[in-house]
Amino acid sequence: MVGSSDRSALRALLDTAVAPLSNLTHTVLSRAFERLGMPAIPQDASSKRVRVEQSLQQVPDTELPRLAQRVLQQQDFPFPVRPPLRHQLEDLLWEEGAPPGIPKKARRELARALYLPELTQHHDRFLHLLDRLWVIEGPDLSFDEFSALLLNGTRPVTLKDLIERHV
């Protein structure tokens, strides 16, 4: 079982994941709380941002993994979870659940059985699939990195760039 420090890490990631809820209207926010299984906070309680924070604070530590799963299951409503954050949440959930290991032999056999030209026939769908499984875009740039990018005109090469070039 994951310790309390890991639950605090999960709570911090969920705080980041549900923060965009504050961009919704009060009415839609109430429906989003219901859909995610978060405690309802009355509309007249405070600002939308405070309502989101209070609702997350009221989620017990034991319910955090289920909330994380519901957040990850959301496709577009109320918000999409960006891949780096999604992967961090999944990693914490998988640590707690102890996923089964996949032997190297099975991975090699599966890789041999896949026919790459068929998989990459629809470029956008293939990249979307890879993006759901791995972080291929790269992390968001900090202000300093973005400034350096503007000054020298280059950007870091991402896994997506390499896939597009070689596949």
Side-chain angles (χ1 to χ4, degrees):
M1 192 57 128
V2 173
S4 61
S5 64
D6 291 323
R7 287 285 166 90
S8 65
L10 182 57
R11 187 174 293 277
L13 286 175
L14 282 170
D15 185 44
T16 303
V18 299
L21 288 174
S22 63
N23 296 329
L24 303 173
T25 65
H26 280 286
T27 306
V28 177
L29 179 58
S30 296
R31 289 195 309 250
F33 285 155
E34 183 180 327
R35 184 173 182 160
L36 292 171
M38 294 174 67
I41 303 295
Q43 291 185 18
D44 59 353
S46 191
S47 69
K48 294 179 289 184
R49 181 182 58 79
V50 171
R51 286 180 65 202
V52 172
E53 290 172 359
Q54 287 177 351
S55 181
L56 182 61
Q57 287 172 358
Q58 290 180 15
V59 175
D61 282 351
T62 57
E63 289 295 314
L64 288 176
R66 283 189 272 292
L67 175 60
Q69 289 170 345
R70 287 189 297 269
V71 166
L72 291 171
Q73 290 170 351
Q74 302 301 311
Q75 294 297 320
D76 293 322
F77 178 84
F79 52 90
V81 179
R82 294 180 47 90
L85 178 59
R86 183 179 68 235
H87 293 289
Q88 290 175 324
L89 282 169
E90 288 172 344
D91 286 345
L92 284 178
L93 291 176
W94 289 341
E95 280 179 23
E96 185 168 334
I102 302 172
K104 287 182 181 180
K105 182 179 179 183
R107 290 192 303 240
R108 284 193 302 268
E109 289 174 358
L110 178 62
R112 266 189 238 115
L114 293 174
Y115 184 59
L116 194 58
E118 191 174 299
L119 284 175
T120 59
Q121 187 174 13
H122 301 284
H123 178 264
D124 293 338
R125 288 173 37 192
F126 177 67
L127 285 177
H128 181 70
L129 169 70
L130 294 179
D131 191 43
R132 288 196 48 83
L133 299 173
W134 296 284
V135 179
I136 65 172
E137 290 285 339
D140 293 332
L141 298 176
S142 69
F143 180 74
D144 293 334
E145 293 168 330
F146 185 71
S147 300
L149 172 74
L150 290 176
L151 291 176
N152 67 16
T154 62
R155 65 177 177 83
V157 176
T158 65
L159 180 57
K160 181 179 179 181
D161 295 333
L162 296 172
I163 291 168
E164 287 178 336
R165 180 182 305 148
H166 297 289
V167 177

